[in-house]
Amino acid sequence: MSPGKSRRGAAIVGAGMIGEVHRRSALLVGAEIVGVLASTPQRSLEKAGEWGVCAFASVDEVLADERVDVVHICTPNATHAPFAEAALAAGKHVICEKPLGISLAEAERMAAAADTSGLVATVPFVYRYHPLVREIRARRQAGEFGDWHLLHGSYLQDWMLDPDASGWRVDPERGGVSRAFADIGSHWCDLVQWVSGETFTDVFAEFSIAVPTRPAAGGASFSGPRGDTAERVEVRTEDTAALLLRTGTGVLASATISQVAAGRKNRLWFELDGSGGSAVFDQENPEQVWLGGAEGNRVLVRDIGTGSAEHRRLSKLPAGHAQGYADCFDAFVADTYAAIDGDEPEGLPTFTDGLRSARLVEAVVRASGNGSWTKV
């Protein structure tokens, strides 16, 4: 936090894994965690005791607390719109997990509310914060890669491989009509568009469901990798998605998205091929990138004091001392709080970016149903 800035009060709404990540990053930037609201009163009390903060009884109580400047929304997707809109109306800055809502209409309302409020409202597309991602983007801006010929890659996980894995994300009423693409494919698309400078305007998509039934998830759970009941229900959200995309300048792209790829824990990978060179990034190996050229290839290693300005800003440790996802999240939250204090950080993903993502998700869902190229 910059000298002279007042300490910001934060409320964490949602106490699952990602709520813990938000809390850690807020503490590191100097925020005071005022309190927590979890999925049940008992869960709120347990987390409040663990964190040494107060337990909120409701969202209304969170918003009425004058100590709260920033609300971190880390709850199931169906709650994002009502919680974020209420927080903005109450004059609170918002960090809301993606997607912004479970429909395009909700995302449009949220982005409009953020725009008219004058408050800071951000969404954690945190893979933008890998230092070497910034380096690739800076090199693209400098013209190093020439004109793009092809953008391609994948985002693969295996947390839904177990037929008994379930949770609120599987339920379209709570998670939305798209699961794998909206959850992780949205990250890939945001990152590739931001790094390449291209915008996806048309899409052809196919969805598949690998496990036809899963245990029903209980109503109160904000998160959880397994079902909460013995009852099995029909799965209506996709496990995998295969996409062809076209950008506004006519560049072709392809992406494979899966939450049932055995052994893949969190592999976001992309390759950008241009007339002057190529670049490859792998989120599970973020300390180096591959740069391809007609006369030879190079491996660029993250380090302090080298590369672009943003590479240098976000590299906190010397080469060989790995930085990863948590460091990205820390940097994203720090930039959000810096924006609240009047700064304009480079690449901070806002509700405008969240709306762009919601439009793409909606187009991908339509494309998967109509079997033809679809406008975003």
Side-chain angles (χ1 to χ4, degrees):
M1 183 173 292
S2 302
K5 300 292 187 184
S6 60
R7 193 178 187 196
R8 297 288 180 178
I12 310 296
V13 181
M17 180 277 288
I18 201 65
E20 293 271 10
V21 173
H22 279 254
R23 169 181 173 267
R24 172 187 180 275
S25 295
L27 287 172
L28 285 174
V29 81
E32 176 189 0
I33 308 300
V34 174
V36 60
L37 175 65
S39 54
T40 66
Q42 181 60 35
R43 175 81 167 150
S44 294
L45 288 170
E46 290 171 359
K47 273 298 171 183
E50 180 182 329
W51 292 355
V53 300
C54 79
F56 289 113
S58 67
V59 172
D60 288 342
E61 188 174 303
V62 172
L63 302 184
D65 195 319
E66 294 184 355
R67 297 172 297 169
V68 175
D69 300 303
V70 188
V71 179
H72 293 247
I73 300 173
C74 317
T75 52
N77 300 346
T79 65
H80 291 179
F83 288 0
E85 289 176 287
L88 292 167
K92 312 293 187 182
H93 303 283
V94 173
I95 301 177
C96 181
E97 278 296 320
K98 54 92 198 127
L100 287 192
I102 59 172
S103 70
L104 179 55
E106 285 189 347
E108 288 172 339
R109 288 204 319 267
M110 294 168 73
D115 187 54
T116 58
S117 72
L119 297 163
V120 173
T122 62
V123 58
F125 285 123
V126 299
Y127 298 119
R128 294 184 180 193
Y129 281 85
H130 281 294
L132 288 177
V133 162
R134 301 274 170 145
E135 181 66 22
I136 295 171
R137 183 171 186 264
R139 288 169 180 253
R140 183 269 298 173
Q141 291 172 323
E144 179 173 322
F145 304 111
D147 297 326
W148 295 123
H149 292 329
L150 180 66
L151 317 175
H152 56 110
S154 59
Y155 196 158
L156 307 175
Q157 298 177 335
D158 71 356
W159 70 282
M160 294 299 288
L161 187 64
D162 184 345
D164 290 331
S166 192
W168 60 262
R169 292 185 186 277
V170 180
D171 181 358
E173 278 69 46
R174 285 188 282 170
V177 295
S178 171
R179 175 171 30 98
F181 181 75
D183 186 20
I184 60 176
S186 58
H187 273 296
W188 189 92
C189 289
D190 174 80
L191 190 63
V192 168
Q193 289 181 108
W194 188 71
V195 173
S196 70
E198 297 287 331
T199 299
F200 296 136
T201 57
D202 300 85
V203 61
F204 184 96
E206 289 284 349
F207 287 172
S208 69
I209 295 172
V211 181
T213 67
R214 294 186 184 273
S221 179
F222 272 7
S223 64
R226 302 183 70 84
D228 300 310
T229 75
E231 177 192 3
R232 298 188 73 87
V233 297
E234 179 187 0
V235 174
R236 294 178 288 157
T237 54
E238 79 281 359
D239 291 308
T240 63
L243 286 75
L244 293 175
L245 304 119
R246 188 164 50 232
T247 74
T249 63
V251 178
L252 287 178
S254 66
T256 303
I257 311 300
S258 177
Q259 293 179 325
V260 291
R264 297 301 189 185
K265 303 306 177 183
N266 196 43
R267 189 176 188 265
L268 187 162
W269 181 97
F270 68 72
E271 177 168 334
L272 313 178
D273 299 330
S275 59
S278 299
V280 173
F281 176 78
D282 181 354
Q283 198 280 145
E284 289 188 339
N285 185 27
E287 290 289 275
Q288 61 183 44
V289 295
W290 182 88
L291 299 175
E295 303 301 325
N297 307 322
R298 294 173 291 154
V299 172
L300 181 68
V301 177
R302 184 199 61 77
D303 204 352
I304 56 173
T306 64
S308 66
E310 283 294 290
H311 181 168
R312 295 194 302 273
R313 178 175 81 92
L314 294 172
S315 287
K316 303 298 184 183
L317 299 169
H321 301 76
Q323 293 184 206
Y325 175 84
D327 300 282
C328 291
F329 215 102
D330 295 342
F332 158 73
V333 171
D335 273 6
T336 298
Y337 279 72
I340 291 170
D341 289 330
D343 293 342
E344 296 182 359
E346 167 75 13
L348 178 65
T350 68
F351 275 23
T352 298
D353 299 289
L355 176 57
R356 183 180 300 111
S357 177
R359 287 175 174 149
L360 183 55
V361 170
E362 190 268 346
V364 168
V365 170
R366 280 191 289 119
S368 71
N370 63 28
S372 61
W373 281 95
T374 302
K375 287 287 184 185
V376 177

